[in-house]
């Protein structure tokens, strides 16, 4: 038997090995992250909820989802353990560190992108008129007259050109 005929199978087995190896590494990192959780740290669940760890048990974790509101979750439901700065920025809205490259604070809305602060500052020329123009009315009336003429013909008559 030719050893070259086994090459596709060897390549396939090698690719499967590499894929499972990287998946196992990711899974081991996630397990390690969940095992290193301590009471008082902020977490994000796989459902996207942010909470504070109160107690850590073997397979479960007690999370404070709101002040005075506690819930028991499986450790597998914790998607990420966040550092204190990131957790406070997301949950409490501490956006003091959101700065532009030049040191200017980046606004939360688009109000600074417009030049005029109020509607009174915008001139009448800049406003868009959404009403119909007189020319459009004349064109519509001419179309209506030609439609009325064509409706007067019988089905056997042809239009002369």
């Amino acid at each position: 038997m030719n050893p070259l005929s086994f090459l596709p199978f060897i390549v396939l087995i090698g690719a499967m090995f590499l894929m499972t190896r990287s998946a196992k590494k990711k899974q081991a990192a996630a397990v390690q992250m969940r095992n290193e959780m301590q009471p008082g740290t902020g977490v994000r669940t796989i459902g996207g909820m942010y909470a504070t760890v109160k107690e850590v048990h073997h397979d479960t974790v007690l999370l404070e989802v709101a002040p005075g509101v506690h819930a028991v979750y499986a450790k597998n439901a914790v998607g990420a353990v966040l550092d204190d700065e990131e957790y406070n920025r997301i949950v409490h809205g501490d956006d003091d560190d959101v700065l532009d490259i030049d040191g200017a604070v980046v606004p939360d809305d688009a109000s600074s992108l417009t030049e005029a602060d109020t509607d009174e500052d915008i001139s009448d020329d800049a406003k868009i008129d959404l009403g119909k123009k007189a020319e459009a009315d004349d064109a519509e009336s001419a179309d209506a007259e030609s439609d009325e003429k064509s409706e007067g013909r019988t089905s056997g008559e042809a239009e002369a050109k």
Side-chain angles (χ1 to χ4, degrees), residues 59-74:
D59 289 334
T60 60
V61 63
L62 180 69
L63 299 178
E64 184 177 26
V65 295
V69 179
H70 297 86
V72 178
Y73 278 79

Side-chain angles (χ1 to χ4, degrees), residues 6-18:
F6 289 116
L7 185 64
F9 295 112
I10 294 171
V11 170
L12 182 64
I13 291 171
M16 289 175 52
F17 173 74
L18 291 176

Side-chain angles (χ1 to χ4, degrees), residues 2-154:
N2 188 2
L4 192 59
S5 63
F6 289 116
L7 185 64
F9 295 112
I10 294 171
V11 170
L12 182 64
I13 291 171
M16 289 175 52
F17 173 74
L18 291 176
M19 286 190 294
T20 57
R21 182 176 161 209
S22 66
K24 284 182 183 179
K25 281 185 179 181
K26 287 180 185 178
Q27 187 177 15
V31 168
Q32 180 183 1
M33 173 212 39
R34 291 180 184 124
N35 287 335
E36 292 177 354
M37 280 190 297
Q38 298 294 326
T41 58
V43 296
R44 181 181 63 236
T45 65
I46 57 174
M49 182 179 64
Y50 293 92
T52 305
V53 176
K54 289 297 176 183
E55 296 176 5
V56 179
H57 301 286
H58 180 65
D59 289 334
T60 60
V61 63
L62 180 69
L63 299 178
E64 184 177 26
V65 295
V69 179
H70 297 86
V72 178
Y73 278 79
K75 274 189 177 180
N76 293 340
V78 175
V81 177
L82 307 172
D83 59 345
D84 291 336
E85 292 177 12
E86 184 179 7
Y87 180 76
N88 288 332
R89 181 182 58 80
I90 293 170
V91 174
H92 301 297
D94 298 341
D95 287 336
D96 294 338
D97 59 344
V98 179
L99 294 178
D100 183 76
I101 294 173
D102 300 328
V105 176
V106 177
D108 290 339
D109 59 357
S111 63
S112 65
L113 299 176
T114 59
E115 293 180 18
D117 293 332
T118 62
D119 289 337
E120 296 152 358
D121 293 342
I122 301 174
S123 66
D124 290 335
D125 296 335
K127 292 184 180 178
I128 299 173
D129 183 22
L130 299 176
K132 290 184 177 181
K133 304 267 188 228
E135 300 166 359
D137 291 338
D138 293 340
E140 287 179 5
S141 63
D143 288 341
E145 289 177 10
S146 65
D147 288 343
E148 290 175 4
K149 290 179 183 177
S150 64
E151 288 176 1
R153 284 184 264 129
T154 62

